[in-house]
Amino acid sequence: MRRKSRNIRRLKLVPTQEGRRLDSYKAGLQAGYNQGLQAGQSSYHALFEGTSIIIPSYNQVDYLRACIDSIMDNTEQPHEIIVVDNASTDGTVDYLEQLDGQVRYRVLSENYGFSGAVNMGLMMAKGTTMVVLNNDTLLTDNWLGNMLICLHSDPTIGLVGPVTNYISGDQQIQVPYVSIEDMPEFARLNNISDPKRWERTDRLPGFCLLFRRELWEKIGFLDEGFEYGNYEDDDYNIRVRLLGYSLVIARDSFIHHFGSVSIKALGDQLEEVTTRNMVYYMTKWNNPYAWIHQLRAGEHGKPSSSLMTKGETAFYPEGIVVKGIGPQAYWIENGVKRPIEGGWSGPIVRLPQILIRNWPMGGPLSTLEAEVKWQTLHYVHHGAPLHGQIASGLDGFLYYLEHGMKRKVITEAAAAAWNLKARAKYPLTVEQLEALPEGLPLIPPVKLRQAL
C-alpha cells in the first residue's frame, strides 16, 4: 500500500498542446492588459494639439449618426469625437458600441440634461481646444479650420460660433438651398476664410461653441441648475464676458442645424422647463449686462488681463470653506486655499475641482484654527478690520466687506450660495459705506449634480 501511494504521488498530468496554447494566450493577454493599463495611467493627463468635439445626446440616434459622419467627412484638423449620452432608449448605445473605438463615449445613468452631458465631456476631453456641438448638426468643408483661425487670431477671444440656417439671434442667415443635398455646395462657397467676416457679438447660442482649454480651466463647467436645456449657454456667455473675453461670430464658417430636436422632444414639458430655467437665470443674475458694462468701463480698476489670469474665482468671496470631489476642505483667504487638517463640520460650499485648482496652495490649518477664523467672521468687535462682515446699502444690495473694500453681492441667490446672510452685519453709516473702495462683485457658483 505504501509503494502504491508513492507511485500515485509521482503521477503528473502532461498538458496538451491546446492547453499550452491557452495558457500562453492568457499570459499574453494579461501582459498586454498590464502594459496597456500602465501606458494609459502614465498618459492620462497628457493632452494633444487638437480639438475635442463634445456631443451631448439624448435619443435621436439618426441625427447623431449623420452628425458624426459629417465630422469624419469634413474635419481635416486633429480632433477627437466625444459623445456623452443621457441614458437614451432608442438604440444610441448600440450605435456607439458599433463605432469600434472611432468615438470616445460615456453613457450616463440618467438624463443629466445638456449641461450635465457637456460637463462630463469636458472632463473626458484631451484637446487643447474644445467644441461643444449639438447632435442635430451637419458639419461642412472647412468648418473647424476657419473657426480655429478666428479663435487664435486674438487671445482675448473667448468663444467662437459659426453661422447656420436655424438658430435664435445673429448667427442665423438666409440660405438658398431647400434640399439638404444642396447644402454642402453652399457651405463650400461660404466657408472661405476671411477675417473681414468675423463679427463680435453679445451672445452665442450653444449649438456650436469653440474655445480654448485654458478658458475652461479658468471658468469651469456649465451650470447644471438649468434643467435639460435652455439658458445654460446664455449663462456661460455671461461668465466668459465677465472675465473680459469677447464672443465672435465666424461668418466664414457655416454648418447646418436641424433645430434643437432633443429639447423639442420634451413636448408639453418644454414650456415648463423653459420657464423654470428662465426663472433660475434671472434669480441668479438679475441684470448681468449691467455688471459686464461696469467691468468693461473699469469701475473696479481691474484690467481684463488680471481677470483672465485669475478666472471666475476672482468673483468669489474669501473667508469661506470649499471642497471639491474629495473629502478635503479648504479655507479660502488672501488668494490661497489652506487645507483644514482634522475635518470640518461647519458650512461648506462645493465647487468644481477645476476651479479649486486655481487657488494656490497655502499652509495647512488645524480644525481649531479654522473654527476660530470662522467665528471671528460672525461677530463685530469695535475697531475690528472690515473683513468678513456684511453691510446693507441704500441701493438695496448687500455688500460683503473684504480687506477694507466693499463687494456688491449681485443677487439674493449669490448671498445664499455663499452663506453670507449668517455673517455679522457691520453698522456702517451711508457715508462710511460709500467711502469704501469697491471691489469685484460676488456671483453665485454653479450647481453640479455630478462629482466633477
Side-chain angles (χ1 to χ4, degrees), residues 129-155:
T129 53
M130 303 176 181
V131 168
V132 173
L133 184 68
N134 275 17
N135 63 345
D136 61 341
T137 54
L138 294 178
L139 291 309
T140 58
D141 188 44
N142 289 332
W143 74 280
L144 180 57
N146 290 354
M147 290 174 66
L148 285 169
I149 293 171
C150 177
L151 179 68
H152 293 310
S153 69
D154 184 345

Side-chain angles (χ1 to χ4, degrees), residues 102-248:
Q102 297 178 78
V103 171
R104 296 173 57 208
Y105 67 91
R106 171 78 179 269
V107 179
L108 302 179
S109 59
E110 59 184 278
N111 188 350
Y112 282 91
F114 183 87
S115 294
V118 169
N119 286 346
M120 184 56 67
L122 292 170
M123 283 286 291
M124 296 169 62
K126 299 290 187 179
T128 53
T129 53
M130 303 176 181
V131 168
V132 173
L133 184 68
N134 275 17
N135 63 345
D136 61 341
T137 54
L138 294 178
L139 291 309
T140 58
D141 188 44
N142 289 332
W143 74 280
L144 180 57
N146 290 354
M147 290 174 66
L148 285 169
I149 293 171
C150 177
L151 179 68
H152 293 310
S153 69
D154 184 345
T156 67
I157 295 176
L159 301 176
V160 175
V163 290
T164 189
N165 59 297
Y166 184 91
I167 200 66
S168 62
D170 295 336
Q171 289 169 268
Q172 180 170 319
I173 64 172
Q174 294 293 323
V175 296
Y177 62 86
V178 176
S179 171
I180 196 66
E181 285 74 22
D182 298 326
M183 183 274 295
E185 178 61 16
F186 165 75
R188 185 184 66 80
L189 296 175
N190 180 87
N191 294 0
I192 299 172
S193 182
D194 184 358
K196 295 190 296 296
R197 299 178 65 199
W198 301 340
E199 177 186 338
R200 295 185 185 251
T201 185
D202 292 339
R203 178 177 181 265
L204 288 174
F207 78 103
C208 181
L209 291 173
L210 170 69
F211 49 95
R212 299 177 186 85
R213 170 175 286 271
E214 288 85 353
L215 177 74
W216 170 63
E217 291 174 345
K218 294 299 179 185
I219 195 172
F221 294 99
L222 274 65
D223 193 332
E224 295 182 11
F226 296 99
E227 297 181 36
Y228 299 114
N230 286 338
Y231 286 95
E232 70 287 314
D233 47 0
D234 295 282
D235 176 84
Y236 211 72
N237 283 188
I238 295 301
R239 292 159 59 198
V240 169
R241 295 183 66 198
L242 280 176
L243 293 183
Y245 290 97
S246 298
L247 316 181
V248 177

Side-chain angles (χ1 to χ4, degrees), residues 12 21 82 89 133 169 195 308 380 421:
K12 293 183 179 180
R21 287 177 178 174
I82 299 172
T89 57
L133 184 68
M308 291 176 184
V380 174
K421 287 203 168 183

Side-chain angles (χ1 to χ4, degrees), residues 71-122:
I71 294 173
M72 294 179 175
D73 292 341
N74 295 286
T75 312
E76 298 178 356
Q77 294 74 21
H79 67 279
E80 63 173 354
I81 302 173
I82 299 172
V83 176
V84 181
D85 184 71
N86 274 313
S88 292
T89 57
D90 69 338
T92 295
V93 178
D94 292 337
Y95 161 67
L96 292 172
E97 291 175 347
Q98 293 168 10
L99 290 176
D100 194 26
Q102 297 178 78
V103 171
R104 296 173 57 208
Y105 67 91
R106 171 78 179 269
V107 179
L108 302 179
S109 59
E110 59 184 278
N111 188 350
Y112 282 91
F114 183 87
S115 294
V118 169
N119 286 346
M120 184 56 67
L122 292 170

